[in-house]
């Protein structure tokens, strides 16, 4: 009686394991798929227990030839209480095997396909595997499977339940493929790169694992007599094996990852529970702990190997937990179970265990893989990519979690599928209704701000367009003025170059005349010295003038002739002075001085005539002096004429240059500095002209003194020669300046062109 009561309680515990699986798998996946995983857990459980009760039990515990059995009396059995409780317990085991698959293929498999595949698994595949190992376990049953006949030991289903479920999951995983983006290689990543998909709630996962641990205590002890040694051993081994495996997996995971991953600890616990399931009432405690810890370490590496090498995307690591743990937990029976509890010796038992585990794994893998492939080829296995991306909660069940609708709407706005006019439905009876209301208000403000920003942007764009138009018009006007200025200035530069060349030619001629005049001045200076000497002699002879007065009277005719000759010389001097006056008004006073010199020369000639009457041949020197001075006056007139002409041309050129330079300065500020240089050069020309005028005035002033006139003329001609050199240098500077200004104007025009402004005036 006690056994039946405990079995009934164990059924409750095992049924509660379904809650653990639901929490565990829902926490492992993203929230957008959590409802789908939960519904699959619920659906496969109800389908599994129902199908097993109606069909599966008859196949699993019916009589047969070792591979499959059948007993029509077990179809929907409702008889003896102990048998009914046992079959209920086995139906819950069948539900556990089916549930393992749901977590592995989560987030990509159609709900209908999953339920459809649960049918053959629970109606045929699991019952056949159970028949191989447990056919004789039914109270009063007569069947015996082929593995059981070989002495295969699997007390509570490390292979029959967990390995079968893990192998079935692997067969389906290889067909259905990885989740979207799981193994996509990002930029800069190597070929082995994979993207982790984190579950939305490790808390649910941890809570589910603890619920499974509690349920597992009934799973591994349900058929044992309460209070017996095997019962106590099964309870303690279950707990300690799970704890040891959790610790080992946590340490190994830290070594592999560098931190403590939540899924490593949870899965380590489950591996330990799976491992000890095959030998819970038989194994020594230390053996159970050691085997569980060792296999948990191996499961960590196996999970990484499947994921990284073969790219098997197991959402909850069901293959490494149930498949790997179930396989090696079955093999560990040969080592951790006392020899007197084994069916054979250690090595023989190990061989039987390997054969049994391998057969169960391959059978479940092949059958479920073939069924999955048949469905996949017809497009019935996997959800469309679009549905997978938006989540199976919505695509499969039209259900959303909490704020999922909010998340979905924000995703649409962010992806461009909806604009800021989109609003959330506000339902006060749904979770997140108040958030939706606040978000709608926020979107109202954002949309209003966007409209204001758009209006402001349009106004700024219009203003910018207007500014561009004004600047373009201004550029066209500037370009037009620049082209006109360039055309006018080019003519001015040509004229300036021509004047500079004429000035240079005139300077050369003036220099030649200055040299010739210098030679004449030197000769005249010598004659002036001789005249001074004669004047001194004439002073000495003044005493004799009164004494010879009578003699003078007698020779009046000769004196008149000499006076006539002197008058003619004076007329020639007046003509020369007139020519100088016509050439340049500035040297008018010089002409008056020359007439004065001519008059005094006439008096000197008269005295010379008197002296000549007295001295005879000595009077000829005065005639030579008069002739030389007349010749000097003529040359001075010619030179002054050329100087006046050059100065007049230079003054006109300077005036025109100043006007043009001022126009240039007003038109273009860019060449202002060069215009200033031009103004400086023009001022230098003015200074030079003033100096030349001063020299002419100096000549005039010095000419007033007849005794030093010739020497002063020599000095002035030397200064005039230096002034000519300055004029020549200035003309060269003007020509270079004109060329440079022309280059600056061309550079300015090129800059307008480089800035994208019109090179032609606007029409």
């Amino acid at each position: 009686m006690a056994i039946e009561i405990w079995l009934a309680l164990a059924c409750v515990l095992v049924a509660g394991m379904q809650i653990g699986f639901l929490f565990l798998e829902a926490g492992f996946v993203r929230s957008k798929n959590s409802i789908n995983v939960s519904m699959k857990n619920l659906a496969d459980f109800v389908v599994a227990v129902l199908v097993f009760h109606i069909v599966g039990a008859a196949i699993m515990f019916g009589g047969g030839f070792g591979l499959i059995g059948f007993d029509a009396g077990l179809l929907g059995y409702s008889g003896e209480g102990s048998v009914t409780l046992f079959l209920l317990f086995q139906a819950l085991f069948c539900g556990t095997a089916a549930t393992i698959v749901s977590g592995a293929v989560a987030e990509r498999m159609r709900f209908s396909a999953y339920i459809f595949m649960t049918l053959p698994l629970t109606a045929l595949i699991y019952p056949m595997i159970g028949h191989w190992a447990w056919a004789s376990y039914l109270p009063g049953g007569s069947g015996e499977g082929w593995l059981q006949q070989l002495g295969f030991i699997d007390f509570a289903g490390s292979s029959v339940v967990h390995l079968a479920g893990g192998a079935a999951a692997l067969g389906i995983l290889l067909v259905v493929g990885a989740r979207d983006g799981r193994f996509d290689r990002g930029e800069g990543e190597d070929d082995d790169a994979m993207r982790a998909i984190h579950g939305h709630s490790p808390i649910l996962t941890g809570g589910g694992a603890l619920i499974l641990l509690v349920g597992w205590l009934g799973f591994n002890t349900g058929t044992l007599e309460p209070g017996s040694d095997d019962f106590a051993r099964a309870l303690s081994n279950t707990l300690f094996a799970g704890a040891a495996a959790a610790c080992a997996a946590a340490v190994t995971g830290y070594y592999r990852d560098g931190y403590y991953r939540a899924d490593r600890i949870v899965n380590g616990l489950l591996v330990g529970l799976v491992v000890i399931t095959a030998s819970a009432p038989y194994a020594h405690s230390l053996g159970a702990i050691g085997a569980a810890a060792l296999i948990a370490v191996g499961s960590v590496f196996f999970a990484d190997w499947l994921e990284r090498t073969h790219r098997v995307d197991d959402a909850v690591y069901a293959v490494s937990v149930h498949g790997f743990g179930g396989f090696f937990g079955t093999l560990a029976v040969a080592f951790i179970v006392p020899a007197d509890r084994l069916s054979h010796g250690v090595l023989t038992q190990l061989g039987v265990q390997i054969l049994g585990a391998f057969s169960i794994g391959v059978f479940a893998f092949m059958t479920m893989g073939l069924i999955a492939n048949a469905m996949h080829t017809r497009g019935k296995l996997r959800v469309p990519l679009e549905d997978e991306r938006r989540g199976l909660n919505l695509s499969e069940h039209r259900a959303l979690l909490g704020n999922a609708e909010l998340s979905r709407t924000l995703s649409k706005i962010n992806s461009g599928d909806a604009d800021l006019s989109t609003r959330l439905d506000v339902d006060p009876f749904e979770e997140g209704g108040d958030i939706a209301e606040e978000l709608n208000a926020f979107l109202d403000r954002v949309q209003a701000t966007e409209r204001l920003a758009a209006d402001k942007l349009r106004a700024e764009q219009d203003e910018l367009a207007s500014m561009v138009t004004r600047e373009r018009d201004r550029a066209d006007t500037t370009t037009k003025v620049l082209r006109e200025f360039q055309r006018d200035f080019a003519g001015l530069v040509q004229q300036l170059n021509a004047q500079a060349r004429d000035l240079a030619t005139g300077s050369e001629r003036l220099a030649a005349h200055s040299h010739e005049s210098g030679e004449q001045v030197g000769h005249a200076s010598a004659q002036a010295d001789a005249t001074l000497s004669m004047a001194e002699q004439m002073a000495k002879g003044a005493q004799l003038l009164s004494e010879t007065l009578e003699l003078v009277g007698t020779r009046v005719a000769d004196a008149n002739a000499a006076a006539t000759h002197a008058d003619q010389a004076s007329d020639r001097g007046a003509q020369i002075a007139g020519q100088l006056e016509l050439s340049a008004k500035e040297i008018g006073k010089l002409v008056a001085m020359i007439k004065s010199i001519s008059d005094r020369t006439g008096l000197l000639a008269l005295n010379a005539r008197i002296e000549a009457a007295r001295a005879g041949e000595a009077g000829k020197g005065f005639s030579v002096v008069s002739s030389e001075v007349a010749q000097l006056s003529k040359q001075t007139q010619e030179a002054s004429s050329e100087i006046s002409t050059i100065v007049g041309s230079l003054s006109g050129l300077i005036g025109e240059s100043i006007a043009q330079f001022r126009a240039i300065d007003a038109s273009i500020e860019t060449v202002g500095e060069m215009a200033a240089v031009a103004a400086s050069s023009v001022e230098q020309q003015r200074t030079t002209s003033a100096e030349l005028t001063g020299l002419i005035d100096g000549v005039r002033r010095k000419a007033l003194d007849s005794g030093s006139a010739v020497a002063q003329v020599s000095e002035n001609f030397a200064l005039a020669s230096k002034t000519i050199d300055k004029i020549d240098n200035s003309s060269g500077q003007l020509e270079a300046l004109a060329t440079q200004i022309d280059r600056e104007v061309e550079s300015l025009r090129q800059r307008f062109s480089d800035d994208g402004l019109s090179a032609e005036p606007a029409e």
Side-chain angles (χ1 to χ4, degrees):
M1 188 67 177
I3 295 178
E4 285 78 7
I5 294 174
W6 172 245
L7 182 58
L9 292 174
C11 287
V12 174
L13 291 174
V14 174
M17 290 177 64
Q18 200 67 33
I19 302 173
F21 278 117
L22 188 151
F23 283 179
L24 180 98
E25 295 176 9
F28 256 118
V29 300
R30 290 167 288 185
S31 61
K32 64 180 181 179
N33 299 304
S34 58
I35 295 176
N36 177 258
V37 169
S38 299
M39 292 301 100
K40 285 178 179 175
N41 270 269
L42 177 60
D44 68 37
F45 178 73
V46 296
V47 169
V49 295
L50 185 60
V51 170
F52 184 83
H53 173 66
I54 295 173
V55 178
I59 297 174
M60 184 171 179
F61 295 106
F65 55 94
L67 289 177
I68 188 171
F70 184 76
D71 186 348
L74 295 177
L75 294 174
Y77 183 82
S78 180
E80 185 179 347
S82 60
V83 175
T84 300
L85 279 175
F86 178 82
L87 293 178
L88 174 60
F89 190 65
Q90 294 300 320
L92 294 172
F93 273 41
C94 179
T96 299
T99 298
I100 293 172
V101 177
S102 67
V105 299
E107 300 194 311
R108 77 211 89 161
M109 190 172 178
R110 293 178 185 271
F111 183 81
S112 57
Y114 176 74
I115 299 304
F116 178 81
M117 294 190 68
T118 301
L119 295 175
L121 177 64
T122 57
L124 181 63
I125 298 172
Y126 174 78
M128 286 185 63
I129 293 173
H131 181 78
W132 297 348
W134 294 343
S136 64
Y137 282 13
L138 179 69
S142 59
E144 189 176 24
W146 69 278
L147 287 178
Q148 192 176 14
Q149 294 173 7
L150 293 175
F152 179 75
I153 299 175
D154 183 7
F155 174 72
S158 288
S159 289
V160 174
V161 176
H162 297 285
L163 175 57
L170 179 61
I172 299 173
L173 281 174
L174 294 180
V175 176
V176 76
R179 288 169 287 180
D180 177 49
R182 182 70 167 89
F183 298 108
D184 289 349
R185 181 161 58 104
E187 183 177 354
E189 296 178 340
D190 56 28
D191 292 336
D192 293 333
M194 59 182 181
R195 301 182 184 278
I197 298 179
H198 299 288
H200 82 286
S201 179
I203 297 175
L204 272 179
T205 300
L210 289 175
I211 293 174
L212 284 173
L213 173 61
V214 174
W216 224 292
L217 295 175
F219 194 93
N220 284 351
T221 62
T223 57
L224 298 175
E225 182 179 358
S228 65
D229 293 342
D230 287 348
F231 180 86
R233 195 178 297 114
L235 281 176
S236 62
N237 283 342
T238 299
L239 178 61
F240 297 144
C247 293
V251 173
T252 306
Y254 183 83
Y255 167 77
R256 296 280 289 172
D257 309 316
Y259 63 97
Y260 296 104
R261 277 173 47 180
D263 62 286
R264 299 286 198 196
I265 301 173
V266 168
N267 287 332
L269 172 65
L270 297 181
V271 168
L273 296 175
V274 170
V275 167
I276 199 58
T277 297
S279 57
Y282 315 133
H284 189 279
S285 178
L286 294 180
I289 292 173
L294 183 63
I295 295 173
V297 171
S299 72
V300 172
F301 289 93
F302 181 74
D304 290 347
W305 177 73
L306 275 182
E307 192 173 58
R308 297 175 183 177
T309 303
H310 298 285
R311 300 199 171 191
V312 175
D313 181 20
D314 186 345
V316 298
Y317 300 97
V319 176
S320 60
V321 170
H322 300 277
F324 183 88
F327 182 86
F328 285 96
T330 302
L331 270 56
V333 169
F335 301 100
I336 64 176
V337 173
D340 60 341
R341 305 296 295 266
L342 296 176
S343 302
H344 309 284
V346 173
L347 293 180
T348 303
Q349 188 67 51
L350 178 62
V352 172
Q353 298 297 112
I354 292 174
L355 176 62
F358 182 78
S359 300
I360 292 171
V362 170
F363 179 69
F365 172 80
M366 292 296 296
T367 52
M368 293 302 294
L370 290 173
I371 296 171
N373 187 65
M375 297 185 66
H376 182 66
T377 56
R378 291 168 174 78
K380 303 296 185 180
L381 186 65
R382 184 166 182 153
V383 298
L385 182 60
E386 181 180 355
D387 289 349
E388 180 180 349
R389 288 178 175 175
R390 66 178 179 173
L392 273 62
N393 291 352
L394 182 63
S395 61
E396 292 281 279
H397 308 288
R398 299 297 186 269
L400 295 173
L401 267 181
N403 297 323
E405 177 63 24
L406 171 64
S407 176
R408 190 165 65 94
T409 301
L410 291 177
S411 178
K412 285 184 177 181
I413 295 175
N414 186 53
S415 64
D417 294 336
D419 55 26
L420 292 178
S421 63
T422 302
R423 295 295 181 269
L424 295 173
D425 294 331
V426 178
D427 187 346
F429 298 102
E430 288 188 1
E431 183 180 2
D434 54 341
I435 298 178
E437 185 174 2
E438 292 297 328
L439 180 62
N440 287 340
F442 172 74
L443 290 175
D444 290 339
R445 292 195 298 273
V446 171
Q447 192 173 16
T449 303
E450 182 190 35
R451 282 196 294 267
L452 290 176
D455 293 341
K456 183 178 180 181
L457 178 61
R458 281 193 294 270
E460 291 177 352
Q461 288 175 341
D462 293 341
E463 177 64 21
L464 181 60
S466 178
M467 290 175 61
V468 170
T469 301
R470 291 196 300 270
E471 290 299 324
R472 184 179 293 111
D473 294 341
R474 187 180 302 171
D476 291 343
T477 302
T478 303
T479 303
K480 181 178 180 180
V481 171
L482 179 61
R483 290 178 63 85
E484 292 176 354
F485 163 75
Q486 186 180 17
R487 182 174 61 254
D488 295 340
F489 185 73
L492 175 61
V493 169
Q494 293 177 358
Q495 183 180 0
L496 184 61
N497 289 337
Q499 294 293 341
R501 288 193 294 271
D502 293 342
L503 180 60
T505 303
S507 297
E508 292 176 357
R509 293 176 59 192
L510 182 59
H513 286 300
S514 296
H515 180 70
E516 183 179 353
S517 297
E519 293 178 352
Q520 295 293 334
V521 167
H523 183 63
S525 178
Q527 294 297 327
D529 290 340
T531 301
L532 181 60
S533 178
M534 293 301 295
E536 291 176 353
Q537 293 179 4
M538 289 172 59
K540 293 179 181 179
Q543 298 295 331
L544 299 176
L545 182 58
S546 59
E547 296 176 357
T548 59
L549 206 53
E550 297 281 339
L551 182 60
V552 171
T554 59
R555 296 184 179 179
V556 169
D558 293 337
N560 289 333
T564 301
H565 181 71
D567 185 67
Q568 292 176 353
S570 177
D571 291 338
R572 288 196 300 274
Q575 291 176 359
I576 293 172
Q579 292 176 357
L580 291 173
E581 184 177 3
L582 293 174
S583 301
K585 292 180 181 182
E586 293 84 351
I587 58 174
K589 293 181 180 182
L590 179 61
V591 175
M593 180 272 296
I594 293 174
K595 285 185 66 179
S596 177
I597 292 174
S598 177
D599 292 339
R600 294 175 64 181
T601 301
L603 179 60
L604 180 62
L606 177 61
N607 292 333
R609 183 60 177 269
I610 294 172
E611 185 64 24
R614 294 179 62 251
E617 292 296 326
K620 293 181 180 180
F622 293 99
S623 298
V624 173
V625 170
S626 177
S627 176
E628 291 296 334
V629 170
Q631 185 177 1
L632 176 60
S633 299
K634 182 179 179 181
Q635 292 175 350
T636 301
Q637 180 183 7
E638 293 175 356
S640 298
S641 176
E642 292 179 359
I643 291 171
S644 178
T645 301
I646 293 171
V647 169
S649 300
L650 181 60
S651 298
L653 178 59
I654 291 171
E656 184 177 359
S657 300
I658 290 172
Q660 293 297 333
F661 292 152
R662 288 177 178 173
I664 293 170
D665 185 58
S667 302
I668 307 175
E669 291 181 1
T670 308
V671 295
E673 184 179 356
M674 302 311 300
V677 176
S680 177
S681 298
V682 172
E683 186 63 27
Q684 185 178 2
Q685 294 302 312
R686 288 179 175 176
T687 303
T688 303
S689 178
E691 291 177 356
L692 186 58
T693 302
L695 288 174
I696 295 174
D697 292 338
V699 172
R700 178 180 58 78
R701 289 193 301 271
K702 293 299 181 181
L704 295 176
D705 189 357
S706 59
S708 60
V710 174
Q712 190 64 40
V713 169
S714 177
E715 293 177 2
N716 287 339
F717 271 114
L719 293 173
S721 178
K722 294 180 180 179
T723 302
I724 290 168
D725 291 339
K726 292 181 180 180
I727 293 172
D728 187 55
N729 291 335
S730 297
S731 65
Q733 292 176 2
L734 283 174
E735 184 175 5
L737 181 61
T739 302
Q740 188 172 1
I741 291 175
D742 186 55
R743 286 198 301 267
E744 290 296 328
V745 172
E746 178 62 25
S747 175
L748 180 61
R749 187 192 67 78
Q750 184 63 38
R751 285 198 298 270
F752 271 98
S753 176
D754 293 342
D755 290 340
L757 299 177
S758 174
E760 298 294 338
E763 294 296 337

